[in-house]
Amino acid sequence: MTGVWTLPNLLTASRIVLTPFVAWRLWLGDVEGAFWLFFAAALTDLFDGNLARLLNQRSVLGAWLDPIADKLMLLTTTSMLALTGLLPMWLLWTVVIRDAVVLAGAEAYRRLTHNLQVRPTLTGKLATALEFILVSFTLADLALHWGLDRWIWPMTQLTAAVVAISGVRYVWLWGGKTRAYLREHPGRG
């Protein structure tokens, strides 16, 4: 483990800094500008983890900051695309409800056990990847006219389904952990 001011951490932090600029460009109707800023942010996501491993600069901060940066960028961009009618509002609600349920469950478990070790599930990682692909396809199609529009609706449905499944999976896993904890520590519930 290394210090805070590493290249991988700075790349991750730049993704957080870029988030309001992507939202602002979308709000102004500058989809092309939003696309290129989102693209730059996606590049930081591609490089930060790989550089941390390559340069042996993994850190606790980076381990926490990376998923926060991803979620912030995705939630902000998906919100703006839904609020401007470029993606359906029900997709945004699916993402928001899933995230709220996951956060509430994690917080409830932390309060119960005074311990929280979070590891993303395969379905959670897949949901995040599909959200990134959907947002990328949507922005690329609108900004660069790549003809991806026929893929956006099926990708929207697939993304929503995987997001919902990942939410159910997290509830199932946290519920199982909670039941196991309560069996080992009767009287804590």
Side-chain angles (χ1 to χ4, degrees):
M1 296 291 175
T2 63
V4 173
W5 299 107
T6 63
L7 180 58
N9 286 352
L10 291 172
L11 285 171
T12 303
S14 72
R15 194 158 63 255
I16 293 171
V17 170
L18 285 172
T19 298
F21 292 101
V22 173
W24 180 52
R25 296 318 308 165
L26 284 170
W27 184 256
L28 294 176
D30 179 13
V31 181
E32 187 173 348
F35 169 78
W36 288 112
L37 289 169
F38 185 85
F39 180 76
L43 287 177
T44 70
D45 191 31
L46 177 67
F47 290 123
D48 61 0
N50 291 323
L51 279 174
R53 284 184 288 282
L54 180 70
L55 301 174
N56 196 25
Q57 293 183 344
R58 289 174 283 196
S59 68
V60 173
L61 176 64
W64 278 92
L65 204 57
D66 186 61
I68 291 169
D70 288 347
K71 188 47 66 182
L72 185 62
M73 178 60 81
L74 280 175
L75 193 53
T76 300
T77 309
T78 303
S79 296
M80 291 307 298
L81 289 170
L83 290 170
T84 56
L86 300 172
L87 282 176
M89 191 60 76
W90 59 261
L91 173 67
L92 174 61
W93 283 112
T94 303
V95 170
V96 168
I97 290 169
R98 192 234 42 181
D99 289 350
V101 166
V102 168
L103 286 173
E107 177 59 15
Y109 184 80
R110 188 195 64 77
R111 285 177 182 248
L112 176 69
T113 65
H114 304 289
N115 185 22
L116 180 64
Q117 295 177 359
V118 178
R119 281 184 222 101
T121 63
L122 180 60
T123 53
K125 287 181 178 184
L126 181 59
T128 299
L130 288 172
E131 286 179 65
F132 260 115
I133 292 167
L134 175 61
V135 168
S136 298
F137 273 28
T138 302
L139 290 173
D141 186 57
L142 293 166
L144 307 175
H145 312 288
W146 282 0
L148 299 171
D149 54 328
R150 64 188 164 125
W151 295 100
I152 292 172
W153 179 245
M155 181 62 78
T156 300
Q157 293 175 311
L158 176 62
T159 302
V162 173
V163 165
I165 289 167
S166 76
V168 170
R169 178 91 173 119
Y170 277 113
V171 168
W172 179 264
L173 291 172
W174 286 106
K177 286 182 176 188
T178 301
R179 286 188 297 279
Y181 179 83
L182 291 174
R183 278 193 301 275
E184 293 174 13
H185 302 87
R188 287 292 306 250

